[in-house]
Every structure is written in structure tokens, then in C-alpha cells.
Amino acid sequence: MIEARHIEALTNLLGEKGLLTAPGDRAAYETGARYDKGRAAFVARPASTAETSAVVAYCVQNGIALVPQSGNTGLVSGSTPDDSGRQGVLSLDRLTAPFELDRVNRSVKAGAGLRLSDLNGKIEDTGLFFPIDLGADPRLGGMIATNTGGSRFLRYGDVRRNTLGLTVVLADEAGTVLDLSSDLRKNNTGVDWKQLFIGTSGAFGIVTECVLNLEPAPKQSATALLVPSSPEQVATLLVAMEDALGGYLSAFEGMSGNAISAALDHVPSLRNPFQGGIVPDFVILAEISRSTPPREGEQPLDAVLEEVLATIWERDDAPLADAFVGPPHEIWALRHALSEGVKHSGRLIAFDLSFRRGDIMPFLAHMKVGMPEHFEDVTICDFGHIGDGGVHFNLVVAKNDPRIADPDFEADLRAWVFSVAVEQFGGSFSAEHAIGRKNQVFYDQYTPEKIRELAAGLKTITSPATLGAITF
């Protein structure tokens, strides 16, 4: 607990609605999206950059640690307090202003507390969208802090590529406001300071406003479920699709049979598209799209996709065993149901890994053999973004498995998976979920000492006080 005088002072800064102290009011902010739970001293909910600055300055001056929290959809314990009851949560949920659309510049200035769905809803009639496709519905500040990518990274890139400017509050005694809100696309006048705050989990400063690049929304799309002839042919299939389709290819998502089966079991409304209801061991969701409306005489995208797949089918190396071209909303419904389906299959231990594209399937093949040798009765339910090298490597343990109660079990399992991914396959232990308390030990282990020294030095310069759930 912290002293009552601090609660009184923060209430004076934010008002009754801006500071939550009752256990019932704090509960949603103390509980993460997946199993993690802490205890906050309070939840501060500033409604402007100025209020954020005032709260941060007060807390820094009085030695009160803050954990910034955006949509609280993260999976690595990066947005919730620890169990000490001495950390305050600083929520972005009231930071929904400003909202300034520049149609000519194809950009928008928005509050960091605005949800992704609300942003795209506000600009839907302009023909533009923010091109980060996620299963969750996070707030913009959290997307920036974690540098999210999503299912269409292959075509549009990640949040880093689509961020033009930021407004940031630093965790120093002044609560310094750093205005990096330029909406210029080209500005080579020195260090691009906004990049320090993208992907660093909120530890360097709290994003309160952002200027984002917008893209023309797709007006046409076609999707297919592809069954590769073997795991080794997935890379061949990806290259063949890119060679044939170029910029039309907007998604190339991998889905394991276990993950698909979990989704079909958990969501009865999903249609099983596979012949005889038999789910293949591995399936690719491929999407092609155009941002222009159909033109007279133009070949429909369904026909384009079918023609390309027919050509690939006839190749001598035969990378394709089967294909199902179907309605985009049905096929994407299956992809977006994977996470929930896997989560309800048992106790979930999730990993967000990244590899060179050609190493994804060898890694999965290695783990398929190695998992039962090292950890019995652990089911692999992987899916992810084959087109950009990302894999959501999800492991499921039965809900009644006694090992769940043993913290050493999960710790040992995580250490083994990361050692294989990083040391044997040269991958990353965090593709797009960033770093939270769950990954702190692996950041310390796998980040070179000099890089850690540089990161710690930058943290000291930008926000010398305790901020966030990770130590750089």
C-alpha cells in the first residue's frame, strides 16, 4: 500500500473518475489476458497528455513505480502490476483524443487510448484503413509499445513502418512531454527519436498521442486454404506464390491441424471446409487483394488465384497437394478463431517466435520429434505468419495435469523451447509480443551485454524512474 496522502494528491490531479482505488474497480486492470494477475496500489486514468505528465511527475518525485497499460491484451505479463500492491497502473483508456484525419497525407493523429477497431470504424467511409490485422482489439499506444505486426505484415509491415510521429511523456521529475508528432514521411534531420519508443514495452516513455500512416483499404480479395504436399514444400509454395502474384499477395498464414481442430471444436458456427471433415496436418491461408474496385474486363481475383494455383499444381516439384478457394469471411473466421480454440483446449503455454522464413518448418519438425522426448503429454498447436517468419508456438497441457501447479515445469519448458529456437535455429524469443515479466530472464540471457548496456543507458536518459514491467 502507499500512503493516503499520495492517493489524495493523485485524486486532485485526475478527479474521482481519473483515479481508481477500490478493489472492484481495479480488478480488470490487475488481471491480464492470459493467467497473469497482480495487485495495484491504484489505477490512474488521465484524459490528456497534460494530465499524464502531471501524474508521472508526481509519481517520479515520490518514488512511486508505474506500469503503463493500454488495452491489456498482451500475453507476456507486460501490462499488469506485480503482487506487491505498491505499483500504480497508468491506463490509457481515457486518452482517446485528439482525432485529426489528413486525407491528402493519408495519415491520422489519434489518442493512444483509441482502440484499433474504433480507429478503422471512424475512417471506414474514407476508403482508408490502418493496415495492422490482429485477432485482438488493442489500443494504439500498446500496439506502438509492442510494435505489433499481425496477419498482413507480409504486405503492409509492422507498426514501426506505419508510425509517422508520437507524443511521449517521459518518466522524469518534470514529466517531460516530448513532441515527436511530425506527420512528415521523409525527415532526415538527425536521429529518428520516435523509434526509441516503438517496441520497447513502454519502459522508455508513455505514448499519449500518435500519427499513423493509413493505406487504401482493399476493395477486392480472394482467399484459399492450401495443403502443401509436405512440410518441406511450404517454403517452395511461398516463393512460388510471391513470384506469381507479387504485391497482390497480402497474407500467407500457417495453421497446424491441431490448432484448426481446436478452433472447430470450440466454435460450432465454423464450417469445416476439408473433404470428409478430415483436417490436414498443416494448412496455409493465402490471401490476395486489390485496393481498387472491380473494373470492366478485369480478371476477378478468384480467377487470378485459381489460375496461379493451377500453375503451381502442375510444377514438377509438386509443392501443392490440395487447395480450397472460398469466401474470405469464412476462411478468415477460421484463422481468427485459432487463438480462442487453443486457449480452451487446456492450460496454454504460449510462445511468440520468429525465424528466417526457411527455418520455420524445420523448427516445427524438430519440435514435433523433440517435445515428447523432453516433455510428455504436451500438445503443439502452432499457427502463425509464415510470410514474415513469425510463429505462435502454443503448447497445451491438460487442465487436470498436476504439473500445472509446479512453477518449475513451465519455467523448464520455456527455457528448453527458447534454447532450441534461439541457439539452434537463430530465431527470436519475441517476434511481436515484446518483453514483459515472462520474458525478462530470456532478454537478460540472449541479449548481448553491450546491447543491454546501450539499452539501459537510453532508458536512463529518457525515463530514469521505474516505468513498466521490464528492466532494460
Side-chain angles (χ1 to χ4, degrees), residues 28-79:
Y29 301 86
E30 295 173 327
T31 305
R34 189 164 293 159
Y35 309 133
D36 54 311
K37 183 176 176 59
R39 187 163 62 94
F42 56 83
V43 177
R45 302 170 64 232
S48 66
T49 296
E51 287 189 357
T52 305
S53 172
V55 168
V56 170
Y58 182 87
C59 289
V60 171
Q61 293 167 15
N62 291 278
I64 301 170
L66 288 172
V67 177
Q69 183 180 106
S70 185
N72 201 19
T73 59
L75 304 178
V76 292
S77 300
S79 61

Short mmCIF file of all heavy atoms in Angstrom, two decimals, residues 28-79:
data_model
loop_
_atom_site.label_atom_id
_atom_site.label_comp_id
_atom_site.label_asym_id
_atom_site.label_seq_id
_atom_site.Cartn_x
_atom_site.Cartn_y
_atom_site.Cartn_z
N ALA A 28 -10.14 -5.30 -13.18
CA ALA A 28 -9.93 -5.52 -14.61
C ALA A 28 -8.54 -5.08 -15.05
O ALA A 28 -7.98 -5.62 -16.02
CB ALA A 28 -10.99 -4.77 -15.41
N TYR A 29 -7.96 -4.12 -14.35
CA TYR A 29 -6.64 -3.62 -14.70
C TYR A 29 -5.53 -4.47 -14.08
O TYR A 29 -4.37 -4.36 -14.48
CB TYR A 29 -6.50 -2.17 -14.23
CG TYR A 29 -7.51 -1.23 -14.83
CD1 TYR A 29 -8.77 -1.06 -14.24
CD2 TYR A 29 -7.23 -0.50 -15.98
CE1 TYR A 29 -9.70 -0.19 -14.78
CE2 TYR A 29 -8.16 0.37 -16.53
CZ TYR A 29 -9.40 0.51 -15.93
OH TYR A 29 -10.33 1.38 -16.47
N GLU A 30 -5.87 -5.27 -13.10
CA GLU A 30 -4.88 -6.10 -12.41
C GLU A 30 -4.75 -7.49 -13.03
O GLU A 30 -3.81 -8.22 -12.74
CB GLU A 30 -5.27 -6.25 -10.94
CG GLU A 30 -5.24 -4.95 -10.17
CD GLU A 30 -5.79 -5.09 -8.75
OE1 GLU A 30 -6.72 -5.92 -8.55
OE2 GLU A 30 -5.32 -4.38 -7.86
N THR A 31 -5.70 -7.85 -13.89
CA THR A 31 -5.75 -9.18 -14.47
C THR A 31 -5.42 -9.12 -15.95
O THR A 31 -6.05 -8.37 -16.71
CB THR A 31 -7.14 -9.81 -14.29
OG1 THR A 31 -7.48 -9.79 -12.91
CG2 THR A 31 -7.17 -11.24 -14.80
N GLY A 32 -4.43 -9.90 -16.38
CA GLY A 32 -4.00 -9.87 -17.77
C GLY A 32 -4.85 -10.77 -18.65
O GLY A 32 -5.77 -11.46 -18.20
N ALA A 33 -4.51 -10.77 -19.93
CA ALA A 33 -5.28 -11.54 -20.91
C ALA A 33 -5.05 -13.03 -20.76
O ALA A 33 -5.87 -13.82 -21.21
CB ALA A 33 -4.91 -11.08 -22.32
N ARG A 34 -3.94 -13.43 -20.15
CA ARG A 34 -3.67 -14.86 -20.03
C ARG A 34 -2.97 -15.16 -18.71
O ARG A 34 -1.75 -15.06 -18.58
CB ARG A 34 -2.83 -15.34 -21.21
CG ARG A 34 -2.68 -16.84 -21.27
CD ARG A 34 -2.19 -17.27 -22.64
NE ARG A 34 -3.18 -17.03 -23.67
CZ ARG A 34 -2.91 -16.92 -24.96
NH1 ARG A 34 -1.67 -17.01 -25.38
NH2 ARG A 34 -3.88 -16.70 -25.83
N TYR A 35 -3.75 -15.47 -17.70
CA TYR A 35 -3.31 -16.04 -16.43
C TYR A 35 -2.62 -15.07 -15.47
O TYR A 35 -2.69 -15.27 -14.26
CB TYR A 35 -2.38 -17.25 -16.65
CG TYR A 35 -2.91 -18.31 -17.57
CD1 TYR A 35 -2.12 -18.83 -18.58
CD2 TYR A 35 -4.22 -18.78 -17.45
CE1 TYR A 35 -2.60 -19.81 -19.44
CE2 TYR A 35 -4.71 -19.76 -18.31
CZ TYR A 35 -3.89 -20.27 -19.31
OH TYR A 35 -4.37 -21.22 -20.16
N ASP A 36 -1.92 -14.04 -15.96
CA ASP A 36 -1.18 -13.21 -15.01
C ASP A 36 -2.12 -12.29 -14.24
O ASP A 36 -3.11 -11.80 -14.77
CB ASP A 36 -0.10 -12.38 -15.72
CG ASP A 36 -0.63 -11.56 -16.88
OD1 ASP A 36 -1.35 -12.12 -17.72
OD2 ASP A 36 -0.34 -10.35 -16.94
N LYS A 37 -1.80 -12.09 -12.98
CA LYS A 37 -2.63 -11.27 -12.10
C LYS A 37 -1.74 -10.64 -11.03
O LYS A 37 -0.87 -11.31 -10.46
CB LYS A 37 -3.73 -12.10 -11.45
CG LYS A 37 -4.69 -11.29 -10.57
CD LYS A 37 -5.80 -12.17 -10.05
CE LYS A 37 -6.72 -11.41 -9.10
NZ LYS A 37 -7.36 -10.24 -9.75
N GLY A 38 -1.94 -9.35 -10.79
CA GLY A 38 -1.18 -8.66 -9.76
C GLY A 38 -2.10 -7.85 -8.86
O GLY A 38 -3.32 -8.06 -8.85
N ARG A 39 -1.51 -6.91 -8.11
CA ARG A 39 -2.30 -6.07 -7.20
C ARG A 39 -1.75 -4.65 -7.30
O ARG A 39 -0.59 -4.40 -7.00
CB ARG A 39 -2.20 -6.59 -5.77
CG ARG A 39 -3.13 -5.87 -4.78
CD ARG A 39 -3.27 -6.71 -3.50
NE ARG A 39 -2.00 -6.88 -2.82
CZ ARG A 39 -1.56 -6.09 -1.83
NH1 ARG A 39 -2.31 -5.07 -1.43
NH2 ARG A 39 -0.41 -6.33 -1.25
N ALA A 40 -2.61 -3.75 -7.74
CA ALA A 40 -2.19 -2.37 -7.96
C ALA A 40 -2.48 -1.51 -6.74
O ALA A 40 -3.48 -1.72 -6.04
CB ALA A 40 -2.91 -1.79 -9.17
N ALA A 41 -1.64 -0.52 -6.51
CA ALA A 41 -1.91 0.46 -5.45
C ALA A 41 -3.06 1.37 -5.87
O ALA A 41 -3.85 1.82 -5.02
CB ALA A 41 -0.65 1.29 -5.18
N PHE A 42 -3.15 1.63 -7.17
CA PHE A 42 -4.22 2.47 -7.72
C PHE A 42 -4.18 2.31 -9.24
O PHE A 42 -3.23 1.74 -9.81
CB PHE A 42 -4.01 3.95 -7.36
CG PHE A 42 -2.68 4.51 -7.79
CD1 PHE A 42 -2.47 4.97 -9.09
CD2 PHE A 42 -1.61 4.56 -6.90
CE1 PHE A 42 -1.25 5.45 -9.50
CE2 PHE A 42 -0.37 5.05 -7.30
CZ PHE A 42 -0.19 5.49 -8.61
N VAL A 43 -5.21 2.78 -9.89
CA VAL A 43 -5.23 2.85 -11.35
C VAL A 43 -5.45 4.31 -11.73
O VAL A 43 -6.51 4.88 -11.43
CB VAL A 43 -6.33 1.97 -11.97
CG1 VAL A 43 -6.35 2.14 -13.48
CG2 VAL A 43 -6.13 0.51 -11.59
N ALA A 44 -4.45 4.93 -12.36
CA ALA A 44 -4.57 6.30 -12.84
C ALA A 44 -5.06 6.29 -14.27
O ALA A 44 -4.53 5.55 -15.11
CB ALA A 44 -3.22 7.00 -12.74
N ARG A 45 -6.06 7.14 -14.55
CA ARG A 45 -6.67 7.16 -15.89
C ARG A 45 -6.68 8.60 -16.42
O ARG A 45 -7.74 9.24 -16.49
CB ARG A 45 -8.08 6.59 -15.84
CG ARG A 45 -8.14 5.16 -15.30
CD ARG A 45 -9.57 4.71 -15.05
NE ARG A 45 -10.33 4.66 -16.30
CZ ARG A 45 -11.51 5.26 -16.49
NH1 ARG A 45 -12.07 5.97 -15.52
NH2 ARG A 45 -12.14 5.15 -17.64
N PRO A 46 -5.54 9.14 -16.80
CA PRO A 46 -5.51 10.51 -17.32
C PRO A 46 -6.28 10.60 -18.63
O PRO A 46 -6.36 9.64 -19.39
CB PRO A 46 -4.02 10.77 -17.52
CG PRO A 46 -3.42 9.42 -17.70
CD PRO A 46 -4.21 8.50 -16.82
N ALA A 47 -6.83 11.79 -18.88
CA ALA A 47 -7.62 12.01 -20.09
C ALA A 47 -6.92 12.91 -21.09
O ALA A 47 -7.51 13.26 -22.11
CB ALA A 47 -8.98 12.60 -19.72
N SER A 48 -5.68 13.28 -20.83
CA SER A 48 -4.93 14.15 -21.74
C SER A 48 -3.44 13.96 -21.51
O SER A 48 -3.02 13.38 -20.50
CB SER A 48 -5.30 15.62 -21.50
OG SER A 48 -4.86 16.04 -20.22
N THR A 49 -2.67 14.47 -22.44
CA THR A 49 -1.21 14.43 -22.27
C THR A 49 -0.79 15.23 -21.05
O THR A 49 0.10 14.81 -20.29
CB THR A 49 -0.52 14.98 -23.53
OG1 THR A 49 -0.82 14.12 -24.64
CG2 THR A 49 0.98 15.04 -23.35
N ALA A 50 -1.44 16.36 -20.82
CA ALA A 50 -1.09 17.20 -19.66
C ALA A 50 -1.35 16.46 -18.36
O ALA A 50 -0.53 16.52 -17.43
CB ALA A 50 -1.89 18.50 -19.71
N GLU A 51 -2.49 15.78 -18.25
CA GLU A 51 -2.77 15.01 -17.03
C GLU A 51 -1.78 13.86 -16.87
O GLU A 51 -1.34 13.56 -15.76
CB GLU A 51 -4.20 14.47 -17.07
CG GLU A 51 -5.26 15.53 -16.84
CD GLU A 51 -6.65 14.94 -16.67
OE1 GLU A 51 -6.80 13.69 -16.78
OE2 GLU A 51 -7.58 15.71 -16.43
N THR A 52 -1.42 13.22 -17.98
CA THR A 52 -0.43 12.14 -17.91
C THR A 52 0.89 12.67 -17.38
O THR A 52 1.52 12.06 -16.50
CB THR A 52 -0.23 11.51 -19.30
OG1 THR A 52 -1.48 11.09 -19.82
CG2 THR A 52 0.72 10.32 -19.22
N SER A 53 1.30 13.81 -17.88
CA SER A 53 2.55 14.42 -17.43
C SER A 53 2.50 14.73 -15.94
O SER A 53 3.47 14.46 -15.20
CB SER A 53 2.81 15.70 -18.23
OG SER A 53 3.90 16.42 -17.70
N ALA A 54 1.39 15.28 -15.48
CA ALA A 54 1.27 15.64 -14.06
C ALA A 54 1.34 14.41 -13.16
O ALA A 54 2.01 14.42 -12.12
CB ALA A 54 -0.04 16.40 -13.83
N VAL A 55 0.65 13.35 -13.56
CA VAL A 55 0.67 12.12 -12.76
C VAL A 55 2.06 11.51 -12.73
O VAL A 55 2.56 11.10 -11.67
CB VAL A 55 -0.35 11.10 -13.32
CG1 VAL A 55 -0.15 9.73 -12.69
CG2 VAL A 55 -1.77 11.58 -13.08
N VAL A 56 2.69 11.42 -13.90
CA VAL A 56 4.03 10.83 -13.97
C VAL A 56 5.01 11.64 -13.13
O VAL A 56 5.81 11.08 -12.37
CB VAL A 56 4.49 10.72 -15.43
CG1 VAL A 56 5.97 10.32 -15.50
CG2 VAL A 56 3.65 9.70 -16.18
N ALA A 57 4.95 12.96 -13.25
CA ALA A 57 5.86 13.82 -12.48
C ALA A 57 5.68 13.58 -10.98
O ALA A 57 6.66 13.44 -10.24
CB ALA A 57 5.63 15.28 -12.82
N TYR A 58 4.43 13.54 -10.53
CA TYR A 58 4.17 13.33 -9.10
C TYR A 58 4.73 11.97 -8.65
O TYR A 58 5.37 11.87 -7.59
CB TYR A 58 2.68 13.41 -8.80
CG TYR A 58 2.39 13.26 -7.32
CD1 TYR A 58 2.41 14.36 -6.47
CD2 TYR A 58 2.17 11.99 -6.76
CE1 TYR A 58 2.19 14.21 -5.11
CE2 TYR A 58 1.95 11.84 -5.40
CZ TYR A 58 1.96 12.95 -4.58
OH TYR A 58 1.76 12.80 -3.21
N CYS A 59 4.47 10.95 -9.43
CA CYS A 59 4.91 9.61 -9.02
C CYS A 59 6.44 9.51 -9.01
O CYS A 59 7.02 8.90 -8.11
CB CYS A 59 4.30 8.56 -9.94
SG CYS A 59 2.52 8.32 -9.70
N VAL A 60 7.08 10.11 -9.99
CA VAL A 60 8.54 10.06 -10.02
C VAL A 60 9.11 10.82 -8.82
O VAL A 60 10.03 10.34 -8.13
CB VAL A 60 9.08 10.66 -11.33
CG1 VAL A 60 10.60 10.81 -11.27
CG2 VAL A 60 8.69 9.77 -12.51
N GLN A 61 8.57 11.98 -8.53
CA GLN A 61 9.06 12.78 -7.40
C GLN A 61 8.88 12.07 -6.07
O GLN A 61 9.64 12.31 -5.12
CB GLN A 61 8.32 14.12 -7.36
CG GLN A 61 8.64 15.03 -8.54
CD GLN A 61 7.67 16.19 -8.64
OE1 GLN A 61 6.92 16.48 -7.70
NE2 GLN A 61 7.67 16.87 -9.78
N ASN A 62 7.90 11.16 -6.00
CA ASN A 62 7.60 10.48 -4.74
C ASN A 62 7.96 9.00 -4.75
O ASN A 62 7.56 8.25 -3.85
CB ASN A 62 6.13 10.67 -4.38
CG ASN A 62 5.80 12.10 -3.99
OD1 ASN A 62 6.01 12.50 -2.85
ND2 ASN A 62 5.30 12.87 -4.96
N GLY A 63 8.71 8.58 -5.75
CA GLY A 63 9.22 7.21 -5.79
C GLY A 63 8.17 6.15 -5.99
O GLY A 63 8.33 5.01 -5.51
N ILE A 64 7.09 6.46 -6.69
CA ILE A 64 6.01 5.51 -6.94
C ILE A 64 6.19 4.91 -8.33
O ILE A 64 6.21 5.63 -9.33
CB ILE A 64 4.64 6.18 -6.84
CG1 ILE A 64 4.45 6.80 -5.46
CG2 ILE A 64 3.52 5.19 -7.13
CD1 ILE A 64 3.22 7.69 -5.35
N ALA A 65 6.33 3.60 -8.40
CA ALA A 65 6.54 2.92 -9.68
C ALA A 65 5.23 2.85 -10.46
O ALA A 65 4.16 2.62 -9.88
CB ALA A 65 7.08 1.51 -9.45
N LEU A 66 5.33 3.02 -11.78
CA LEU A 66 4.16 2.97 -12.64
C LEU A 66 4.31 1.89 -13.70
O LEU A 66 5.40 1.67 -14.24
CB LEU A 66 3.95 4.31 -13.35
CG LEU A 66 3.45 5.49 -12.49
CD1 LEU A 66 3.49 6.78 -13.33
CD2 LEU A 66 2.04 5.22 -11.99
N VAL A 67 3.20 1.23 -14.01
CA VAL A 67 3.14 0.27 -15.11
C VAL A 67 2.14 0.81 -16.13
O VAL A 67 0.94 0.83 -15.88
CB VAL A 67 2.69 -1.12 -14.63
CG1 VAL A 67 2.58 -2.08 -15.82
CG2 VAL A 67 3.66 -1.68 -13.60
N PRO A 68 2.62 1.28 -17.30
CA PRO A 68 1.68 1.74 -18.32
C PRO A 68 0.85 0.56 -18.84
O PRO A 68 1.36 -0.55 -19.02
CB PRO A 68 2.58 2.29 -19.42
CG PRO A 68 3.92 2.48 -18.79
CD PRO A 68 4.01 1.44 -17.72
N GLN A 69 -0.43 0.82 -19.09
CA GLN A 69 -1.32 -0.23 -19.58
C GLN A 69 -2.19 0.35 -20.69
O GLN A 69 -2.85 1.36 -20.52
CB GLN A 69 -2.20 -0.78 -18.46
CG GLN A 69 -3.10 -1.92 -18.88
CD GLN A 69 -3.94 -2.43 -17.73
OE1 GLN A 69 -5.14 -2.17 -17.67
NE2 GLN A 69 -3.31 -3.15 -16.80
N SER A 70 -2.20 -0.32 -21.81
CA SER A 70 -3.00 0.11 -22.95
C SER A 70 -4.30 -0.70 -22.96
O SER A 70 -5.13 -0.57 -22.07
CB SER A 70 -2.20 -0.05 -24.23
OG SER A 70 -2.87 0.46 -25.35
N GLY A 71 -4.47 -1.59 -23.94
CA GLY A 71 -5.70 -2.39 -23.99
C GLY A 71 -5.66 -3.62 -23.11
O GLY A 71 -6.64 -4.35 -22.99
N ASN A 72 -4.49 -3.91 -22.50
CA ASN A 72 -4.30 -5.06 -21.62
C ASN A 72 -4.59 -6.37 -22.35
O ASN A 72 -5.15 -7.30 -21.78
CB ASN A 72 -5.18 -4.95 -20.36
CG ASN A 72 -4.67 -5.81 -19.22
OD1 ASN A 72 -3.50 -6.23 -19.21
ND2 ASN A 72 -5.53 -6.11 -18.26
N THR A 73 -4.22 -6.43 -23.64
CA THR A 73 -4.40 -7.66 -24.42
C THR A 73 -3.09 -8.43 -24.59
O THR A 73 -3.06 -9.46 -25.26
CB THR A 73 -4.96 -7.34 -25.81
OG1 THR A 73 -4.05 -6.47 -26.50
CG2 THR A 73 -6.32 -6.65 -25.71
N GLY A 74 -2.00 -7.94 -23.99
CA GLY A 74 -0.70 -8.60 -24.15
C GLY A 74 -0.64 -9.93 -23.42
O GLY A 74 -1.42 -10.22 -22.51
N LEU A 75 0.34 -10.76 -23.83
CA LEU A 75 0.41 -12.14 -23.35
C LEU A 75 1.71 -12.45 -22.61
O LEU A 75 1.99 -13.62 -22.35
CB LEU A 75 0.25 -13.10 -24.54
CG LEU A 75 -1.01 -12.91 -25.38
CD1 LEU A 75 -1.02 -13.89 -26.56
CD2 LEU A 75 -2.27 -13.09 -24.53
N VAL A 76 2.50 -11.43 -22.26
CA VAL A 76 3.79 -11.70 -21.62
C VAL A 76 3.93 -10.98 -20.28
O VAL A 76 5.04 -10.71 -19.83
CB VAL A 76 4.96 -11.32 -22.57
CG1 VAL A 76 5.01 -12.24 -23.76
CG2 VAL A 76 4.86 -9.86 -23.00
N SER A 77 2.81 -10.68 -19.64
CA SER A 77 2.81 -10.01 -18.34
C SER A 77 3.53 -8.67 -18.40
O SER A 77 4.29 -8.30 -17.50
CB SER A 77 3.46 -10.91 -17.27
OG SER A 77 2.75 -12.11 -17.14
N GLY A 78 3.28 -7.92 -19.47
CA GLY A 78 3.93 -6.64 -19.62
C GLY A 78 3.06 -5.45 -19.23
O GLY A 78 3.56 -4.32 -19.18
N SER A 79 1.77 -5.68 -18.95
CA SER A 79 0.88 -4.56 -18.71
C SER A 79 0.17 -4.61 -17.36
O SER A 79 -0.66 -3.75 -17.06
CB SER A 79 -0.19 -4.50 -19.82
OG SER A 79 -0.97 -5.68 -19.84
#
